[in-house]
Amino acid sequence: LGDAPPQLHGARTVASQDGGTLTIIFDFGFHPGNSINISLALGPMKAAISQLSFRGRICVCLVGIVPRKPVIRGIKVFFSNTPSLSFGFSGLAAALPLPPQRLRGFIQQALAEQLVLPRSKTVHLDSIAGTFNEPDFLAYHQLHSWPPLGMLRLTVVSVEGLGAAEAVFCLLRVGGEQHATDPAGSRYQRREI
């Protein structure tokens, strides 16, 4: 995977008010550039990925810290926002009708649907350790549900300086969620997200 190793930096920790959850937040980066060698060869034909760069903020949530084995009752892993990704094609891949930007969009959408808040990957350590009879056994909803922190309501008041564009709308992305207003000039005119 190239000469440059993945980088974790800017580590921060956030403890919940009840002390039962510790979140470790890392800024993650992987920038091997041209030193990466991901290629597919079929005889003399070769297709490859070049100039790979990936970065994002990854969070590891240690849920249910207790004074018994396994010490941590569950783990959640997620990105706080969709990670940025860039790459190029070389060889036969450069001649594909699918540009790298479009493939990048598919990959980012797949990541957002699986690993960007409010979605996460979880490991229920209490179940793995077989501590089902413990009085503080981690319940399913404690690991798989996020309590809402609040509600965001956005109203688009006006848009200026866009010229004679036909389909003007507002797109809002928060974590893995995406919402859009109806296009200006449509018969519904929904302006709230």
Side-chain angles (χ1 to χ4, degrees), residues 31 49-55 84-88 100 104 108:
H31 311 284
I49 292 177
S50 62
Q51 292 294 329
L52 178 67
S53 178
F54 180 89
R55 69 182 155 88
S84 68
L85 171 69
S86 66
F87 56 87
R104 181 187 70 216
Q108 286 181 309

Side-chain angles (χ1 to χ4, degrees), residues 165-169 183-184:
E166 292 182 20
V168 176
F169 62 95

